[in-house]
Amino acid sequence: MTSLSKAQLHRQAEHLVDFVNKSPSPFHAIDVCRKWLSGANFTELKEKQSWCGAIKPNGRYFFTRNGSSIVAFAVGGKFRPGNGTSIVAAHSDSPCLKLKPVSRKTGSGFLQVGVQLYGGGLWHTWFDRDLSVAGRVMVRDGAGGYSGRLVAIEEPIMRIPSLAIHMDRTANEAFKFNKETHLTPILATVSKALNGTDSTTGGDTEKPAHHAVLLERIAKQLDVSVNDISDFELCLYDTQKAAIGGLLNELIHASRLDNLNSSYCAIEGLINSLDGKHALEDDSHVRLVSLFDNEEVGSTSAYGANSALLESALRRIQASCDGVNLTSFEESIANSYMISSDVTHAVHPNYSEKHEENHRPELQKGPAIKVNANQRYATTS
């Protein structure tokens, strides 16, 4: 294993920060990974097409599903069907607030946006933040079809304001809020919208699903007409940029580190392992990285870790190589190894009592390995 100098480690930290800033949604994270892999001479495969004859020893490949999950792999020069796969798995999603299918709300002279909780977030931290939206927009292409376009509005267009202390003197004793009514972002004032272009504040017989000013801002970002927007999947994100911090520049201040941290390390590690013209020649295994979506809500979607995504990829890799037999896949599973890579909670110096005395992960002490008697995590994967 090659050790890195302090300068190299700092550059890696800077690259991670840059990755987080470019990835306000899982769609953006996977798009960044696609570009990195393409730049490292990986060939993109399509799940709907045959892979027979396409996968070769010493080859590099990747494919995506839903634009929010990705599988990338490199085939060893001495790989044969039945040989194993070395796998690192992580996830691309993070807890967030997502726009509801009908997000249009108004209250007390304000335009509000209805949101739903995604994952197990620390929701009180979303108050008093400069928020915006990012995700994927389905746009009519003019030929009767649709295309998915990524959007990320950098300006802070929303905010969830706290109630003034004068209105609730108990706020500092126990900050409690109703997630359905109090955790509602403010977009604009009704009066300003009426003086502008927001027709949704009038007396429409059929209320639109979203405020016109929001749709117009999204359309402007994509350089399309509002009428061309068919649907979208948007999440809220904090516009404050991730940064390297601490007095000695040893900490990373960022959101979504669960699990963009492992996603970055996995893709970067795979690409770096291929540095050198003959990097794969003597390898008899496949090196594979899989980044799943929807881990934060149970992994049970068609592109989550509990789907057939990884198994399908492993089966197709085996079946695409010369010399395959009826038990090649089963043999390969027995010869494979997988690391499920996620972040864990280092001991908090202000709440050290929350950790068991003999199980307190500390920073700068190397990776933590999770094991569980009830076989959670990937203890026996």
Side-chain angles (χ1 to χ4, degrees), residues 4 12 30 78 104 219 284 365:
L4 299 178
Q12 287 290 345
I30 297 306
K78 296 182 179 180
R104 180 184 181 275
S284 60
K365 294 294 181 68

Side-chain angles (χ1 to χ4, degrees), residues 129-145:
R129 298 275 186 170
D130 293 336
L131 304 176
S132 194
V133 293
R136 182 172 62 186
V137 181
M138 299 307 296
V139 178
R140 296 180 179 88
D141 60 13

